[in-house]
Amino acid sequence: MLTTIKNVKEIVRSLKVSFVLAFPGILTSIILSVFVFMFHGFVFSCFWNVSIPAMFGFCTLTTFRAIILCLAIGGIRTNYFSTMSFLHLKIKNYLCTKFKDKEIWDVDFESTVNAFSLISSILLTVVSIIVYVILIMHSWNVILPGLLGMELYHINFAQTFAFAAVINYLFSEDNKLSTEIVNSMDKKVTEADKQDDIDI
């Protein structure tokens, strides 16, 4: 138990150091993502305002609300199982590369890495689901009534989660690309482990 706690502390310490070193790149990625979402929202709002109000009599759409709607729709269509699998293998592959050549690496440490990467991927996926459910709830309760010019039944968090789950089950993306990436990464990790065993 003490060994496992020590291993987890070593992993967390390494991740903190890696995060500090990678912070400029992470900040750049966040800024680029914001601009991408703004662009999608602007394009969506332009198309909506040019066609939908004239065709159906609905209200115009601001860029900010278009961004929220795009995020909410993206959250409904996301394949979270593939996303979680991708995160799990990504974290595991990073930690294996980080610690494989160090003296601390042993069977216990390897099992700790597997457990840590799995738990981390589950937590990150749960957080993303909660964020998307909040966005969907806001879209339904605040944006859509004003946009469509009609009163809609206000839904709470649990109802939003159930509604999003049903729509996701029926219309979610196949995410074939994500599945291929996950399988490719899993194959690379397995091949690396076999090569290490041969070298030993």
Side-chain angles (χ1 to χ4, degrees):
M1 183 65 180
L2 293 176
T3 304
T4 302
I5 294 174
K6 182 180 178 181
N7 292 339
V8 171
K9 288 182 178 179
E10 180 67 22
I11 292 172
V12 172
R13 187 191 66 80
S14 176
L15 288 176
K16 286 181 180 179
V17 174
S18 300
F19 178 80
V20 172
L21 294 175
F23 182 75
I26 294 173
L27 184 61
T28 303
S29 299
I30 293 174
I31 293 174
L32 290 175
S33 299
V34 170
F35 277 109
V36 169
F37 287 133
M38 290 177 63
F39 175 76
H40 281 296
F42 175 75
V43 172
F44 183 74
S45 63
C46 287
F47 288 154
W48 176 279
N49 294 334
V50 168
S51 59
I52 302 300
M55 294 172 63
F56 302 101
F58 294 153
C59 298
T60 56
L61 183 65
T62 63
T63 302
F64 177 75
R65 290 191 168 186
I67 293 172
I68 300 297
L69 282 175
C70 288
L71 289 172
I73 294 170
I76 289 177
R77 297 177 66 239
T78 299
N79 189 321
Y80 291 100
F81 180 77
S82 296
T83 302
M84 185 179 67
S85 300
F86 174 78
L87 287 173
H88 169 55
L89 287 175
K90 187 74 173 176
I91 296 171
K92 178 183 176 182
N93 190 38
Y94 172 79
L95 292 175
C96 287
T97 305
K98 189 79 174 176
F99 292 101
K100 198 66 174 180
D101 297 330
K102 293 190 176 182
E103 295 180 356
I104 192 174
W105 187 271
D106 55 18
V107 176
D108 290 335
F109 195 83
E110 183 175 2
S111 62
T112 304
V113 166
N114 289 329
F116 183 87
S117 58
L118 178 61
I119 293 172
S120 300
S121 62
I122 292 174
L123 289 176
L124 289 172
T125 304
V126 169
V127 170
S128 67
I129 290 174
I130 292 173
V131 171
Y132 279 127
V133 168
I134 292 173
L135 290 174
I136 295 167
M137 183 171 61
H138 177 77
S139 298
W140 181 275
N141 292 334
V142 179
I143 298 178
L144 288 181
L147 193 62
L148 303 178
M150 64 177 67
E151 288 293 328
L152 295 177
Y153 177 79
H154 275 240
I155 55 177
N156 56 33
F157 186 88
Q159 291 169 327
T160 306
F161 178 82
F163 169 74
V166 170
I167 301 300
N168 182 271
Y169 179 77
L170 294 175
F171 303 107
S172 65
E173 296 175 329
D174 289 337
N175 272 355
K176 293 180 179 178
L177 179 60
S178 298
T179 304
E180 290 176 1
I181 293 174
V182 168
N183 293 335
S184 176
M185 291 183 64
D186 193 18
K187 183 178 179 181
K188 288 180 179 179
V189 172
T190 304
E191 290 176 353
D193 292 338
K194 289 182 179 178
Q195 185 63 39
D196 291 336
D197 293 338
I198 293 174
D199 294 339
I200 293 173

